Amino acid sequence: EEYELARDQRVIIRILNEEKREMSIPELQKACGFDESKYAYVRKLLSVMVKDDLIHRTQHGKYSGTIRAVYEMGLDSDVPF
């Protein structure tokens, strides 16, 4: 389960980095390939990631990547945020 969590976090960070925009939970679910029935799981995962400063939650309930996440994941240095 812990491995799956880390894998899913990497997928979310990669998608946010590629999209270079704020995304809602349903948008992230679709882009990441999560089943619609996993809404509660994705919401909880995003909450944990915000707490760990891996992503940012806007006032409008959308999510974007953070510089820290991009560097920790070793993604493209062309940071969009």
Side-chain angles (χ1 to χ4, degrees), residues 48-59:
V48 168
M49 293 175 72
V50 167
K51 185 178 175 186
D52 291 343
D53 194 34
L54 294 174
I55 61 173
H56 175 74
R57 184 180 185 275
T58 70
Q59 291 180 351

Side-chain angles (χ1 to χ4, degrees), residues 5-19:
L5 181 71
R7 185 191 68 211
D8 290 346
Q9 288 177 334
R10 285 193 303 270
V11 170
I12 289 169
I13 290 168
R14 182 179 50 80
I15 293 296
L16 287 171
N17 186 52
E18 288 173 1
E19 291 290 324

